[in-house]
Amino acid sequence: MSPENGEAAAAARTAVITGASSGIGAATARALAADGFRTVLAARRQDRLEALAAEIGGEPVVVDVTDPDSVAAFAAGVGACDVVVHCAGGALGLEPLAESDEERWRWMYEANALGMVRVTKALLPLLLASGDGHVVAVTSIAGFETYRGGSGYAAAKHAQRAALQTLRLELLGQPVRITDVAPGMVETEFSLVRFDGDREAAERVYAGMTPLTGEDVAECIRWAVGLPSHVNVDEIVVRPRDQARATEVSRHLDEDDRA
Ligand code: 8X3
């Protein structure tokens, strides 16, 4: 096989994954590394990144997407970027809007919406220079649905989706694809973070049902990225079979689970 085609060409491509230290981000990094990408693993937790990098041969870089200086320093050193997968983000709390905390809203807006915008802006020259760039963002069904207690998170995810759709218009005619991957319930550290480390509260979210795994979502991303360059998968909405809408979940609970 000549270096111009097939695996050898794919091996030269670089995928930057934010939020790579756990969950969907780590699973995506594993999937893209297995497909021959050079992976740049970006997140805040250095020990986790180094363990993953040792496992898949990626490059760990400590980055906080909520910090403009951190993102600028990261982008200046990354060298190349053909694909960026935005997995950084998360939810804090499940309080009604009337009791919501502005600081938590601010963090969710920073981590989900502005973080994606910041990293995309910083990497856009490299994505364009690649001649075949791809921006993939893991948003959420909360980007087009709302549910009680989810106002701050849904607002941030709606903003993230609006930014992505705008970018798609603005880059039309340029060699950059834009893909929005919107999952429903995925069992990662998402709920543990949302409930401030309360493991029981986090486990209750998935009680009696089978949620998606990070690997399930990573497989969607791997598929969209691996399609030919002229194919732009705009949106993927992926939920567990046990979930029809954000608040419509089929649970098979025994008495202990209900307690
Ligand atoms: C996670 C899905 O329904 O918990 O983004 O907001 S949900």
Side-chain angles (χ1 to χ4, degrees):
M1 187 178 278
S2 79
E4 286 80 36
N5 61 17
E7 286 175 26
R13 286 167 60 76
T14 298
V16 171
I17 301 106
T18 73
S21 57
S22 65
I24 297 169
T28 299
R30 286 190 183 96
L32 295 183
D35 277 3
F37 279 87
R38 166 195 171 219
T39 55
V40 177
L41 314 172
R44 287 173 301 173
R45 293 175 291 186
Q46 187 162 13
D47 52 338
R48 298 273 198 106
L49 288 179
E50 283 174 0
L52 180 62
E55 178 194 328
I56 66 172
E59 297 165 34
V61 189
V62 173
V63 184
D64 179 354
V65 302
T66 69
D67 176 352
D69 292 339
S70 173
V71 171
F74 165 66
V78 79
C81 179
D82 302 277
V83 178
V84 57
V85 186
H86 298 281
C87 301
L92 289 181
L94 203 55
E95 300 84 16
L97 184 144
E99 294 157 25
S100 61
D101 176 324
E102 278 194 26
E103 272 313 305
R104 291 183 157 223
W105 266 69
R106 205 165 277 120
W107 182 84
M108 288 189 276
Y109 197 78
E110 277 281 349
N112 294 285
L114 269 180
M116 180 195 75
V117 170
R118 201 172 274 138
V119 173
T120 301
K121 273 179 73 178
L123 295 179
L124 202 48
L126 295 175
L127 289 160
L128 288 165
S130 89
D132 186 13
H134 199 159
V135 177
V136 181
V138 177
T139 63
S140 170
I141 58 168
F144 49 86
E145 291 184 36
T146 59
Y147 51 89
R148 288 178 174 82
S151 59
Y153 182 62
K157 286 299 186 185
H158 276 67
Q160 195 180 5
R161 279 173 45 79
L164 277 175
Q165 287 164 21
T166 307
L167 187 64
R168 177 100 166 84
L169 290 170
E170 291 171 354
L171 292 182
L172 186 62
Q174 312 250 39
V176 180
R177 292 183 284 170
I178 310 286
T179 299
D180 176 354
V181 179
M185 294 167 81
V186 188
E187 190 164 17
T188 59
E189 293 175 6
F190 175 85
S191 291
L192 200 59
V193 172
R194 167 168 257 176
F195 295 116
D196 303 315
D198 182 339
R199 200 160 286 280
E200 277 182 26
E203 282 171 3
R204 269 199 299 278
V205 173
Y206 312 106
M209 57 86 65
T210 305
L212 298 175
T213 64
E215 286 72 22
D216 295 327
V217 181
E219 182 59 19
C220 297
I221 295 168
R222 193 194 63 74
W223 172 72
V225 167
L227 288 170
S229 308
H230 68 283
V231 182
N232 190 111
V233 178
D234 267 356
E235 298 185 347
I236 299 176
V237 180
V238 54
R239 310 178 199 247
R241 188 177 59 188
D242 284 341
Q243 183 181 35
R245 304 224 356 127
T247 52
E248 290 288 324
V249 179
S250 167
R251 298 184 194 271
H252 308 280
L253 298 173
D254 60 27
E255 285 307 312
D256 289 346
D257 289 327
R258 282 179 217 278

